[in-house]
Amino acid sequence: MPPNAAVPALAAFNVGVEIGQVVIVALIFPLLLWTDRIGHRAAARDGRNPAVVYFCSAAILPVGLYWLMVRTVLP
């Protein structure tokens, strides 16, 4: 890569990553709203249903741990 092309390449990469994140959020957001409505109804307006919160947290935890291991410990 030519020396003067590093900044545009890095900027294009970062824009691509941001677009990917926006697409993922746009796809997942309706599911989150739906689960929030279910949890809210089940808790009878006393807050979110703890079972929904714990389930979502338990589903996210392994992904976060995997990313942590890949980025810090594993080659």
Side-chain angles (χ1 to χ4, degrees):
M1 176 172 22
N4 59 352
V7 172
L10 183 59
F13 172 77
N14 284 329
V15 168
V17 168
E18 294 298 326
I19 291 171
Q21 290 174 344
V22 168
V23 168
I24 290 171
V25 169
L27 293 173
I28 298 298
F29 193 69
L31 177 64
L32 293 174
L33 287 176
W34 179 72
T35 58
D36 192 46
R37 271 193 224 120
I38 290 174
H40 190 65
R41 269 190 249 141
R45 299 186 189 265
D46 289 336
R48 289 182 173 83
N49 185 348
V52 173
V53 174
Y54 295 144
F55 176 78
C56 292
S57 298
I60 293 169
L61 178 66
V63 175
L65 289 175
Y66 171 75
W67 285 341
L68 175 68
M69 296 302 290
V70 166
R71 287 173 172 86
T72 59
V73 178
L74 302 175

